[in-house]
PDB file of all heavy atoms in Angstrom:
ATOM      1  N   LEU A 117      -4.688  12.457  46.156  1.00  0.00           N
ATOM      2  CA  LEU A 117      -3.862  12.860  47.295  1.00  0.00           C
ATOM      3  C   LEU A 117      -4.723  13.212  48.501  1.00  0.00           C
ATOM      4  O   LEU A 117      -4.406  12.851  49.636  1.00  0.00           O
ATOM      5  CB  LEU A 117      -2.971  14.039  46.896  1.00  0.00           C
ATOM      6  CG  LEU A 117      -1.873  13.717  45.879  1.00  0.00           C
ATOM      7  CD1 LEU A 117      -1.173  14.992  45.420  1.00  0.00           C
ATOM      8  CD2 LEU A 117      -0.853  12.749  46.484  1.00  0.00           C
ATOM      9  N   ASP A 118      -5.838  13.904  48.241  1.00  0.00           N
ATOM     10  CA  ASP A 118      -6.759  14.231  49.339  1.00  0.00           C
ATOM     11  C   ASP A 118      -7.329  12.964  49.974  1.00  0.00           C
ATOM     12  O   ASP A 118      -7.428  12.853  51.202  1.00  0.00           O
ATOM     13  CB  ASP A 118      -7.906  15.111  48.834  1.00  0.00           C
ATOM     14  CG  ASP A 118      -7.459  16.525  48.491  1.00  0.00           C
ATOM     15  OD1 ASP A 118      -6.367  16.930  48.953  1.00  0.00           O
ATOM     16  OD2 ASP A 118      -8.191  17.219  47.753  1.00  0.00           O
ATOM     17  N   ALA A 119      -7.705  11.992  49.122  1.00  0.00           N
ATOM     18  CA  ALA A 119      -8.279  10.746  49.628  1.00  0.00           C
ATOM     19  C   ALA A 119      -7.260   9.962  50.454  1.00  0.00           C
ATOM     20  O   ALA A 119      -7.592   9.371  51.493  1.00  0.00           O
ATOM     21  CB  ALA A 119      -8.795   9.896  48.471  1.00  0.00           C
ATOM     22  N   LEU A 120      -5.997   9.962  50.009  1.00  0.00           N
ATOM     23  CA  LEU A 120      -4.954   9.258  50.753  1.00  0.00           C
ATOM     24  C   LEU A 120      -4.737   9.901  52.119  1.00  0.00           C
ATOM     25  O   LEU A 120      -4.593   9.209  53.129  1.00  0.00           O
ATOM     26  CB  LEU A 120      -3.652   9.247  49.941  1.00  0.00           C
ATOM     27  CG  LEU A 120      -3.613   8.318  48.730  1.00  0.00           C
ATOM     28  CD1 LEU A 120      -2.386   8.597  47.881  1.00  0.00           C
ATOM     29  CD2 LEU A 120      -3.632   6.856  49.173  1.00  0.00           C
ATOM     30  N   ARG A 121      -4.719  11.222  52.154  1.00  0.00           N
ATOM     31  CA  ARG A 121      -4.507  11.919  53.422  1.00  0.00           C
ATOM     32  C   ARG A 121      -5.678  11.723  54.375  1.00  0.00           C
ATOM     33  O   ARG A 121      -5.498  11.660  55.584  1.00  0.00           O
ATOM     34  CB  ARG A 121      -4.277  13.404  53.152  1.00  0.00           C
ATOM     35  CG  ARG A 121      -2.937  13.689  52.472  1.00  0.00           C
ATOM     36  CD  ARG A 121      -2.881  15.066  51.864  1.00  0.00           C
ATOM     37  NE  ARG A 121      -1.647  15.247  51.098  1.00  0.00           N
ATOM     38  CZ  ARG A 121      -1.503  16.134  50.117  1.00  0.00           C
ATOM     39  NH1 ARG A 121      -2.524  16.920  49.780  1.00  0.00           N
ATOM     40  NH2 ARG A 121      -0.361  16.231  49.477  1.00  0.00           N
ATOM     41  N   ASP A 122      -6.888  11.601  53.790  1.00  0.00           N
ATOM     42  CA  ASP A 122      -8.090  11.423  54.615  1.00  0.00           C
ATOM     43  C   ASP A 122      -8.373   9.957  54.930  1.00  0.00           C
ATOM     44  O   ASP A 122      -9.291   9.659  55.705  1.00  0.00           O
ATOM     45  CB  ASP A 122      -9.314  12.019  53.905  1.00  0.00           C
ATOM     46  CG  ASP A 122      -9.210  13.528  53.742  1.00  0.00           C
ATOM     47  OD1 ASP A 122      -8.430  14.150  54.492  1.00  0.00           O
ATOM     48  OD2 ASP A 122      -9.905  14.069  52.866  1.00  0.00           O
ATOM     49  N   GLY A 123      -7.619   9.047  54.295  1.00  0.00           N
ATOM     50  CA  GLY A 123      -7.890   7.628  54.469  1.00  0.00           C
ATOM     51  C   GLY A 123      -9.217   7.206  53.877  1.00  0.00           C
ATOM     52  O   GLY A 123      -9.886   6.301  54.386  1.00  0.00           O
ATOM     53  N   SER A 124      -9.603   7.850  52.776  1.00  0.00           N
ATOM     54  CA  SER A 124     -10.912   7.596  52.161  1.00  0.00           C
ATOM     55  C   SER A 124     -10.814   6.453  51.152  1.00  0.00           C
ATOM     56  O   SER A 124     -10.042   6.528  50.184  1.00  0.00           O
ATOM     57  CB  SER A 124     -11.410   8.866  51.465  1.00  0.00           C
ATOM     58  OG  SER A 124     -12.634   8.631  50.806  1.00  0.00           O
ATOM     59  N   GLU A 125     -11.588   5.401  51.367  1.00  0.00           N
ATOM     60  CA  GLU A 125     -11.593   4.261  50.446  1.00  0.00           C
ATOM     61  C   GLU A 125     -12.941   3.569  50.506  1.00  0.00           C
ATOM     62  O   GLU A 125     -13.739   3.793  51.418  1.00  0.00           O
ATOM     63  CB  GLU A 125     -10.487   3.275  50.796  1.00  0.00           C
ATOM     64  CG  GLU A 125     -10.626   2.643  52.168  1.00  0.00           C
ATOM     65  CD  GLU A 125      -9.504   1.660  52.466  1.00  0.00           C
ATOM     66  OE1 GLU A 125      -8.321   2.055  52.412  1.00  0.00           O
ATOM     67  OE2 GLU A 125      -9.823   0.492  52.753  1.00  0.00           O
ATOM     68  N   ARG A 126     -13.212   2.723  49.516  1.00  0.00           N
ATOM     69  CA  ARG A 126     -14.406   1.896  49.516  1.00  0.00           C
ATOM     70  C   ARG A 126     -14.057   0.533  48.936  1.00  0.00           C
ATOM     71  O   ARG A 126     -13.061   0.390  48.199  1.00  0.00           O
ATOM     72  CB  ARG A 126     -15.545   2.538  48.717  1.00  0.00           C
ATOM     73  CG  ARG A 126     -15.256   2.670  47.222  1.00  0.00           C
ATOM     74  CD  ARG A 126     -16.396   3.298  46.446  1.00  0.00           C
ATOM     75  NE  ARG A 126     -17.587   2.457  46.420  1.00  0.00           N
ATOM     76  CZ  ARG A 126     -18.630   2.689  45.641  1.00  0.00           C
ATOM     77  NH1 ARG A 126     -18.638   3.741  44.836  1.00  0.00           N
ATOM     78  NH2 ARG A 126     -19.671   1.875  45.642  1.00  0.00           N
ATOM     79  N   THR A 127     -14.855  -0.465  49.268  1.00  0.00           N
ATOM     80  CA  THR A 127     -14.668  -1.801  48.714  1.00  0.00           C
ATOM     81  C   THR A 127     -15.743  -2.032  47.671  1.00  0.00           C
ATOM     82  O   THR A 127     -16.934  -1.909  47.957  1.00  0.00           O
ATOM     83  CB  THR A 127     -14.759  -2.865  49.814  1.00  0.00           C
ATOM     84  OG1 THR A 127     -13.794  -2.581  50.829  1.00  0.00           O
ATOM     85  CG2 THR A 127     -14.463  -4.247  49.242  1.00  0.00           C
ATOM     86  N   VAL A 128     -15.316  -2.329  46.437  1.00  0.00           N
ATOM     87  CA  VAL A 128     -16.252  -2.443  45.324  1.00  0.00           C
ATOM     88  C   VAL A 128     -16.397  -3.892  44.875  1.00  0.00           C
ATOM     89  O   VAL A 128     -15.505  -4.723  45.078  1.00  0.00           O
ATOM     90  CB  VAL A 128     -15.796  -1.592  44.113  1.00  0.00           C
ATOM     91  CG1 VAL A 128     -15.677  -0.126  44.508  1.00  0.00           C
ATOM     92  CG2 VAL A 128     -14.469  -2.101  43.546  1.00  0.00           C
ATOM     93  N   GLY A 129     -17.543  -4.185  44.289  1.00  0.00           N
ATOM     94  CA  GLY A 129     -17.765  -5.473  43.664  1.00  0.00           C
ATOM     95  C   GLY A 129     -17.218  -5.476  42.246  1.00  0.00           C
ATOM     96  O   GLY A 129     -17.052  -4.424  41.621  1.00  0.00           O
ATOM     97  N   LEU A 130     -16.941  -6.660  41.730  1.00  0.00           N
ATOM     98  CA  LEU A 130     -16.408  -6.819  40.381  1.00  0.00           C
ATOM     99  C   LEU A 130     -17.129  -7.967  39.680  1.00  0.00           C
ATOM    100  O   LEU A 130     -17.775  -8.801  40.315  1.00  0.00           O
ATOM    101  CB  LEU A 130     -14.907  -7.118  40.421  1.00  0.00           C
ATOM    102  CG  LEU A 130     -13.994  -6.041  40.994  1.00  0.00           C
ATOM    103  CD1 LEU A 130     -12.579  -6.585  41.142  1.00  0.00           C
ATOM    104  CD2 LEU A 130     -14.002  -4.785  40.135  1.00  0.00           C
ATOM    105  N   GLY A 131     -16.992  -7.998  38.367  1.00  0.00           N
ATOM    106  CA  GLY A 131     -17.515  -9.099  37.580  1.00  0.00           C
ATOM    107  C   GLY A 131     -16.403 -10.037  37.148  1.00  0.00           C
ATOM    108  O   GLY A 131     -15.254  -9.625  36.984  1.00  0.00           O
ATOM    109  N   HIS A 132     -16.741 -11.297  36.969  1.00  0.00           N
ATOM    110  CA  HIS A 132     -15.779 -12.293  36.509  1.00  0.00           C
ATOM    111  C   HIS A 132     -16.419 -13.097  35.385  1.00  0.00           C
ATOM    112  O   HIS A 132     -17.599 -13.462  35.467  1.00  0.00           O
ATOM    113  CB  HIS A 132     -15.384 -13.224  37.654  1.00  0.00           C
ATOM    114  CG  HIS A 132     -14.298 -14.192  37.307  1.00  0.00           C
ATOM    115  ND1 HIS A 132     -14.551 -15.467  36.841  1.00  0.00           N
ATOM    116  CD2 HIS A 132     -12.949 -14.071  37.339  1.00  0.00           C
ATOM    117  CE1 HIS A 132     -13.411 -16.088  36.616  1.00  0.00           C
ATOM    118  NE2 HIS A 132     -12.416 -15.270  36.912  1.00  0.00           N
ATOM    119  N   ALA A 133     -15.653 -13.356  34.331  1.00  0.00           N
ATOM    120  CA  ALA A 133     -16.142 -14.132  33.193  1.00  0.00           C
ATOM    121  C   ALA A 133     -15.138 -15.224  32.856  1.00  0.00           C
ATOM    122  O   ALA A 133     -13.927 -15.005  32.881  1.00  0.00           O
ATOM    123  CB  ALA A 133     -16.365 -13.230  31.982  1.00  0.00           C
ATOM    124  N   ALA A 134     -15.672 -16.401  32.523  1.00  0.00           N
ATOM    125  CA  ALA A 134     -14.806 -17.536  32.204  1.00  0.00           C
ATOM    126  C   ALA A 134     -15.498 -18.422  31.184  1.00  0.00           C
ATOM    127  O   ALA A 134     -16.720 -18.332  30.981  1.00  0.00           O
ATOM    128  CB  ALA A 134     -14.485 -18.337  33.466  1.00  0.00           C
TER     129      ALA A 134
END
Side-chain angles (χ1 to χ4, degrees):
L117 292 172
D118 289 342
L120 287 169
R121 290 164 186 157
D122 295 339
S124 177
E125 63 180 57
R126 65 180 294 191
T127 303
V128 301
L130 296 172
H132 186 267

